[in-house]
Amino acid sequence: MIRFFLLQNRQGKTRLSKWYVPPPSNNNSNGSMSNSNNNEAEKARIEAEVHRLVTARDKKYTNFIEYNSYKLIYRRYAGLFFTIAVDMHDNELSYLETIHLFVELLDSFFSNVCELDIVFNFNKVYSILDEFMLAGEIEETSKREILDRVKLLEKME
Amino acid sequence: MSMKLRDLIRKVRACKTASEERAVIAKESAMIRTAIREEQEHYRHRNVAKLLFMHMLGYPTHFGQLECMKLTASPHFPEKRIGYLGMMLLLSEEADVLMLATNSLKNDLNSEIRFVAGLALCAIGNLATADMSRDLAPEVDKHLKSGTPYLRKKACLSMSRCLTKCPEMVEDFVERVVTLLKDKSHGVLITVVQLMTQILLIDAQTYEEEGYDDISETPCRIAFMRLVPVLVKLLRNLLSMGYSPEHDVGGISDPFLQVQILTVLRLLGTGNNEASEEMNDVLAQVATNTETSKNAGNAILYECVLTIMAVESEDSLRVLAINILGRFLLNRDNNIRYVALNTLAKCIVEQNNREDGGQDLANSAASALQRHRTTVVDCLKDPDVSIRQRALELIYHLVNQENVEDLTAELLNYLVLCPREHRADICTRVLRVVDRFSPGDRWRVDTLITMLTIAGRETTREVQSATIVYISRAAEDIQSYATHKLLKAIRDDDGTQLGLLNVGIWCIGEYGDLLLKSYTYTPPSSSGALMEVTDATNGDIPVTISFMGLEPSAVVRTVEDVTGR
């Protein structure tokens, strides 16, 4: 199961951040407001750490990093790092294919996607992601099917 | 006048400093807050979009949560859509306000417009809590039987999450899975197989907690066992399907679905002979026919190997699996080697733990592994640290009576290069290896002294005392050899290898009289790799090791020197 999906650029700016489970929190506090603040702080902290780990890796190294109770699977496309965090026993190679399929989806939708496309159309990128993955699992494997849906949704706006 | 989203993004990007950016965001934040307070409906959509952008940059946006909820109740589709997006990004399952959404979710689930129902299913799949799951499960269930595959697949995954939150509902949905497996759409197939996997995992957990006698007795497993032939047929169809442009990845039809089916077969076949037999053929087919040139093919092979090792498969299949892993080890791609090393280590541990099944089974797999020993040793010298770690793990498991000398030499070589933090652990492991497999006393003592010379500072007390115990138990011949060698070692050392000094000085104290006599030793010509580590000479030519007898004063001087440093 996927825990979170992260897209960051080389400087550490988050371009996309989708969490399928809440981040593991260190302290239990009451009240929803402080809880959500803790959550946000925890997410930001984890995202920063992931960025540090991923940018420090050489190209020759494997694309898998063990981080706390997750395994991070990352790949770099131009200036963006795509990172998926999965459970320890998951099949890493198939998640590499997942990342690649998502990049192909973005490429088809935006016609030669670049980072700016993602920045200015982040809500569309999220909707593509939601058609591709749900509840931390892959929802559809056919590129054509996903893109047709997303284009239909765009027409309804 | 309210800014458009694009303009806000452009403005933020134009900021040169962080404080400038903060100022822009703060100003916009204040405007949005005012708009919310004054309940301006007109720009709600745009304001929430801007809030989401600010959230992604890392700024606090919790004041927008209720706005998102209000938007989800809107009859206007674009507003609804951004409301749900906001909900999924700004809220987590722990937020209390999530409860307020249950009603609007219920309405949307029952909507005629399938995209609206789709949005609601998506939100449930990502956010549902236990209470919400219980409330909304019947509605989600209706969509499992929906006319459109679009909603069926979303319903499967949402149901998967609901069941994870409320395990007690599992039994009601087992029958649904059976019907859905006959679906034609790949999207539905992959989601229903995932639902099956999840149900099996939840079932296994409940079984543990409630203490069933036999896991195959749970109604869920009984129902799913009957599905094994269906799954096998699905997999076979995928393998023999011609080129299908929709699901093709690098020449392979729908590798994601193949991997998922293999996972569920693994869960069904573990511990169950009947099911394992039904899947034997198709596993062999996958293992032999899958293309290995692309990563997708390797992903499928990897999953196949994991499944073969976990179920009750035949010997020949297991050897096939190990050979696949051996091929992976020779691959130039680091990822594949990492995966192979990981799996091999798991396999060996399992082989060692298997008490049942004849010795032949364990031996054929173990001997297959030994054939790849040299490759594993090469991985020890790889620049990537995660591969080195994995290779190390594997080498510990591969050591046996025949190869102990060679492998220990490799371990000691690695010890020289490895980072300080890991050395203590490696020393303890080498000690255990030496304990179990030593071909002789002299080799044992030699190895331990060499290890102390390399990593004396990091060795634990356990290692040092073990060395002392071995020396004291050995014959006088060995004791003399050891003491001479230790004296030389501490003389050459610069004073940092504490462990070495401890052991050395103890030995000199105990066996100091042996130092006064000279000592010669000619190893037999087949002494092997350890000679290369200790002396820089060619290991083939038997080299005579000789130590001169020393005067007592020389010994005392050396010790004073050493302790003085």
Side-chain angles (χ1 to χ4, degrees):
Chain A
M1 200 192 113
I2 301 179
R3 302 295 181 98
F4 60 79
F5 190 113
L6 219 48
L7 234 125
Q8 292 165 314
N9 68 2
R10 293 217 56 186
Q11 281 75 42
K13 280 217 139 68
T14 305
R15 295 301 180 205
L16 188 89
S17 156
K18 182 88 185 184
W19 287 73
Y20 291 101
V21 290
S25 61
N26 299 326
N27 45 340
N28 296 320
S29 46
N30 309 324
S32 67
M33 276 311 163
S34 54
N35 226 343
S36 68
N37 280 343
N38 273 338
N39 258 340
E40 297 304 317
E42 195 54 30
K43 280 188 196 173
R45 198 186 62 81
I46 295 183
E47 288 174 13
E49 241 186 277
V50 167
H51 176 255
R52 242 195 336 265
L53 283 170
V54 149
T55 42
R57 300 272 285 189
D58 191 276
K59 232 190 316 190
K60 288 186 310 236
Y61 293 175
T62 62
N63 292 77
F64 318 130
I65 307 176
E66 281 180 30
Y67 171 66
N68 291 349
S69 55
Y70 314 145
K71 229 186 300 216
L72 294 172
I73 302 181
Y74 71 94
R75 202 173 228 173
R76 182 172 166 193
Y77 288 86
L80 283 174
F81 287 95
F82 288 70
T83 312
I84 295 189
V86 298
D87 300 323
M88 282 303 205
H89 53 262
D90 281 342
N91 183 336
E92 301 93 331
L93 299 176
S94 106
Y95 280 112
L96 270 180
E97 285 301 315
T98 311
I99 296 182
H100 192 71
L101 185 55
F102 185 62
V103 173
E104 282 185 2
L105 280 169
L106 290 179
D107 204 34
S108 301
F109 185 77
F110 289 108
S111 306
N112 285 331
V113 66
C114 64
E115 193 179 334
L116 275 179
D117 286 327
I118 302 183
V119 176
F120 277 94
N121 298 299
F122 68 91
N123 40 346
K124 296 197 185 135
V125 176
Y126 273 111
S127 75
I128 297 179
L129 185 58
D130 281 333
E131 287 298 315
F132 178 40
M133 292 201 261
L134 181 64
E137 304 280 1
I138 297 179
E139 181 188 333
E140 176 61 67
T141 51
S142 157
K143 243 170 49 186
R144 187 189 60 83
E145 183 68 34
I146 300 178
L147 288 173
D148 281 349
R149 291 281 155 245
V150 179
K151 291 196 183 117
L152 261 173
L153 280 167
E154 289 299 300
K155 268 205 227 137
M156 289 187 74
E157 291 249 342
Chain B
M1 211 43 236
S2 157
M3 251 200 288
K4 280 211 263 186
L5 173 64
R6 281 192 102 81
D7 297 330
L8 174 63
I9 300 181
R10 241 179 243 134
K11 229 176 159 185
V12 167
R13 283 175 63 78
C15 291
K16 300 282 190 302
T17 65
S19 53
E20 227 184 297
E21 184 182 296
R22 269 198 299 272
V24 168
I25 300 275
K27 189 157 160 230
E28 192 59 33
S29 227
M31 260 204 287
I32 296 181
R33 249 190 295 237
T34 324
I36 293 178
R37 216 177 23 241
E38 294 172 2
E39 308 223 342
Q40 290 176 15
E41 295 204 357
H42 211 41
Y43 292 121
R44 233 190 232 160
H45 175 177
R46 190 191 276 181
N47 285 340
V48 169
K50 283 187 281 189
L51 266 180
L52 292 178
F53 178 66
M54 295 195 291
H55 170 83
M56 207 161 62
L57 291 175
Y59 293 97
T61 47
H62 40 269
F63 54 87
Q65 284 174 3
L66 276 176
E67 272 302 281
C68 293
M69 313 286 263
K70 284 192 212 142
L71 273 177
T72 62
S74 156
H76 200 39
F77 185 72
E79 290 190 354
K80 211 187 256 289
R81 194 174 169 204
I82 200 120
Y84 273 115
L85 180 61
M87 212 168 96
M88 284 191 279
L89 288 177
L90 297 181
L91 294 174
S92 79
E93 61 184 49
E94 295 162 355
D96 292 339
V97 291
L98 201 49
M99 296 299 285
L100 303 172
T102 318
N103 218 12
S104 70
L105 275 172
K106 204 176 252 179
N107 290 337
D108 284 334
L109 275 177
N110 289 327
S111 161
E112 301 256 304
I113 311 170
R114 54 193 167 118
F115 290 119
V116 172
L119 278 178
L121 284 169
C122 198
I124 296 177
N126 289 337
L127 282 178
T129 58
D131 293 324
M132 284 167 73
S133 307
R134 252 186 291 268
D135 267 340
L136 297 166
E139 319 289 326
V140 176
D141 185 37
K142 262 189 264 166
H143 285 295
L144 279 175
K145 300 178 249 159
S146 156
T148 47
Y150 176 69
L151 289 177
R152 282 204 298 272
K153 68 184 182 189
K154 286 201 194 261
C156 279
L157 288 177
S158 310
M159 187 51 83
S160 166
R161 180 169 174 122
C162 290
L163 292 178
T164 318
K165 294 287 170 191
C166 300
E168 62 272 9
M169 295 195 300
V170 160
E171 299 190 359
D172 306 331
F173 296 99
V174 168
E175 282 311 306
R176 297 273 178 279
V177 170
V178 179
T179 355
L180 281 166
L181 262 183
K182 303 196 191 97
D183 209 289
K184 294 270 180 297
S185 150
H186 278 227
V188 179
L189 282 175
I190 197 172
T191 51
V192 82
V193 172
Q194 270 157 183
L195 181 58
M196 258 180 94
T197 316
Q198 197 57 29
I199 292 183
L200 282 169
L201 288 171
I202 297 175
D203 197 53
Q205 225 176 351
T206 344
Y207 152 77
E208 261 178 43
E209 287 165 6
E210 299 194 2
Y212 272 105
D213 283 331
D214 181 7
I215 193 172
S216 55
E217 280 178 3
T218 61
C220 161
R221 279 200 94 101
I222 297 178
F224 283 177
M225 283 304 168
R226 279 187 251 122
L227 293 174
V228 172
V230 177
L231 289 165
V232 166
K233 191 154 157 259
L234 254 177
L235 193 49
R236 218 175 250 142
N237 282 345
L238 279 174
L239 289 172
S240 55
M241 195 156 87
Y243 174 69
S244 140
E246 264 190 48
H247 303 288
D248 181 87
V249 177
I252 304 183
S253 334
D254 212 340
F256 301 106
L257 183 54
Q258 289 193 36
V259 166
Q260 213 46 58
I261 297 182
L262 286 166
T263 314
V264 91
L265 284 177
R266 178 162 77 236
L267 288 173
L268 287 173
T270 318
N272 187 307
N273 283 321
E274 210 184 296
S276 307
E277 213 160 314
E278 289 174 6
M279 48 178 98
N280 244 329
D281 283 340
V282 81
L283 286 175
Q285 211 184 334
V286 171
T288 35
N289 286 351
T290 311
E291 272 276 325
T292 52
S293 52
K294 293 283 172 72
N295 186 47
N298 287 327
I300 299 177
L301 279 174
Y302 176 35
E303 197 68 32
C304 189
V305 165
L306 286 175
T307 307
I308 292 178
M309 302 313 280
V311 305
E312 319 295 319
S313 42
E314 303 169 346
D315 280 12
S316 50
L317 207 49
R318 276 182 199 271
V319 175
L320 184 59
I322 300 212
N323 286 339
I324 293 180
L325 288 177
R327 263 204 330 264
F328 273 9
L329 274 181
L330 297 166
N331 197 307
R332 269 178 311 140
D333 187 348
N334 267 348
N335 293 334
I336 314 258
R337 280 193 296 164
Y338 171 92
V339 146
L341 290 169
N342 222 357
T343 322
L344 275 172
K346 257 191 283 185
C347 283
I348 306 208
V349 172
E350 276 173 29
Q351 291 294 11
N352 291 341
N353 290 343
R354 266 175 190 265
E355 296 303 343
D356 59 347
Q359 268 304 100
D360 298 328
L361 161 64
N363 285 342
S364 60
S367 54
L369 276 160
Q370 289 295 340
R371 256 183 277 132
H372 301 297
R373 205 182 72 219
T374 12
T375 327
V376 178
V377 168
D378 281 334
C379 285
L380 209 51
K381 305 179 187 122
D382 197 277
D384 185 345
V385 90
S386 25
I387 291 201
R388 283 207 298 267
Q389 294 278 67
R390 292 276 171 283
L392 202 56
E393 280 295 321
L394 200 50
I395 289 190
Y396 293 139
H397 293 302
L398 278 178
V399 172
N400 61 23
Q401 208 64 40
E402 290 94 51
N403 58 27
V404 65
E405 292 182 34
D406 294 329
L407 282 183
T408 320
E410 293 293 342
L411 282 174
L412 289 174
N413 274 339
Y414 180 62
L415 196 59
V416 178
L417 307 162
C418 97
R420 293 268 153 82
E421 313 84 65
H422 301 147
R423 280 189 177 176
D425 187 52
I426 299 183
C427 289
T428 332
R429 304 257 207 154
V430 170
L431 177 67
R432 237 176 275 150
V433 162
V434 156
D435 214 10
R436 280 182 70 191
F437 294 116
S438 289
D441 274 345
R442 184 184 299 272
W443 181 88
R444 197 198 320 249
V445 166
D446 230 356
T447 314
L448 288 171
I449 297 180
T450 317
M451 186 166 78
L452 285 169
T453 330
I454 302 173
R457 176 182 11 191
E458 288 88 16
T459 53
T460 57
R461 287 209 165 278
E462 191 197 344
V463 173
Q464 294 167 27
S465 31
T467 317
I468 292 181
V469 165
Y470 282 131
I471 297 181
S472 55
R473 269 202 248 146
E476 189 176 308
D477 185 37
I478 311 275
Q479 286 171 349
S480 175
Y481 170 60
T483 319
H484 272 286
K485 194 158 178 211
L486 279 166
L487 182 67
K488 177 168 185 295
I490 61 181
R491 202 169 40 210
D492 296 338
D493 180 63
D494 57 0
T496 49
Q497 303 288 25
L498 264 175
L500 176 67
L501 292 180
N502 280 344
V503 175
I505 295 191
W506 183 90
C507 275
I508 297 177
E510 271 297 302
Y511 307 113
D513 54 318
L514 295 174
L515 280 175
L516 304 177
K517 298 182 281 217
S518 71
Y519 178 84
T520 335
Y521 165 68
T522 311
S525 52
S526 60
S527 90
L530 197 54
M531 296 301 295
E532 291 170 31
V533 178
T534 52
D535 309 319
T537 53
N538 190 343
D540 287 336
I541 307 170
V543 174
T544 310
I545 305 174
S546 49
F547 298 98
M548 294 190 316
L550 297 168
E551 294 293 303
S553 50
V555 177
V556 173
R557 229 175 321 155
T558 315
V559 175
E560 277 176 353
D561 248 351
V562 165
T563 49
R565 282 189 215 139

